[in-house]
Amino acid sequence: EEVGPALTGAGAHGVRLNVIDADVAEGAAPAPAGLRRSTMDPPIAAVASVWVDSAVRHLRQPIDQVFTERNLRLAGYLVSESSPLPHAGSPPGRTQGFTQMAFLRRPARLSREAWLERWHDHHTDVAIETQSTFAYRQNLVVDALHADAPAVDAIVEESFPITALTDWYAFYDSI
């Protein structure tokens, strides 16, 4: 309620916030009780996607300031976004359901090209076809914008109906 409007006021053309709040806390528990799996310490609890004219440091400073003024951790990335399954017409405000975020690191054994081919040309279709996914976004990391941002190669956003949060049959669209 506060950060989104502040980001828009600082010049963002668009804002999408993904946070762990009371509505999704049960599914945010670490696996196997919940869906959360993390190799990051501390685990990521919120993600702000912000569309701006430029990622140049001094031009994005008003956006960064929204986070620093609120003592929020700032680990930004410049990404190339692709939506193999776009979210169909969501009104402003909270989306029904939840979004699972995955921060991917390319395995050292795979070249960038081989990794992208597996992810884009194989895994994407399998994920969409076997899960109750209603939106799927792929964010290929072009550059980390802050020195202490965890090293990641991509950020995936998969949106599901709220029932998939605690029911594996609903998650895998098998009911």
Side-chain angles (χ1 to χ4, degrees), residues 60-123:
R60 71 166 199 272
Q61 199 282 328
I63 300 293
D64 288 0
Q65 189 172 341
V66 169
F67 297 99
T68 57
E69 286 176 349
R70 290 161 178 80
N71 294 315
L72 298 170
R73 181 174 181 211
L74 189 56
Y77 303 92
L78 174 63
V79 302
S80 174
E81 181 184 65
S82 175
S83 294
L85 181 60
H87 190 261
S90 177
R94 187 180 187 111
T95 298
Q96 296 301 310
F98 71 98
T99 298
Q100 177 174 270
M101 306 291 295
F103 296 84
L104 306 181
R105 294 180 176 127
R106 179 182 57 82
R109 71 181 185 280
L110 294 176
S111 68
R112 183 175 189 274
E113 294 74 23
W115 175 70
L116 287 172
E117 191 269 337
R118 281 188 185 188
W119 177 30
H120 289 166
D121 298 333
H122 299 287
H123 177 76

Side-chain angles (χ1 to χ4, degrees), residues 93-173:
R94 187 180 187 111
T95 298
Q96 296 301 310
F98 71 98
T99 298
Q100 177 174 270
M101 306 291 295
F103 296 84
L104 306 181
R105 294 180 176 127
R106 179 182 57 82
R109 71 181 185 280
L110 294 176
S111 68
R112 183 175 189 274
E113 294 74 23
W115 175 70
L116 287 172
E117 191 269 337
R118 281 188 185 188
W119 177 30
H120 289 166
D121 298 333
H122 299 287
H123 177 76
T124 299
D125 291 339
V126 170
I128 291 171
E129 292 170 9
T130 61
Q131 300 171 159
S132 59
T133 313
F134 64 80
Y136 185 96
R137 288 175 213 89
Q138 298 170 319
N139 300 287
L140 186 60
V141 173
V142 175
D143 195 16
L145 300 177
H146 303 95
D148 62 346
V152 296
D153 295 294
I155 303 166
V156 176
E157 303 170 64
E158 295 177 286
S159 299
F160 298 92
I162 198 67
T163 54
L165 192 64
T166 56
D167 182 339
W168 287 112
Y169 291 104
F171 185 89
Y172 286 107
D173 201 19

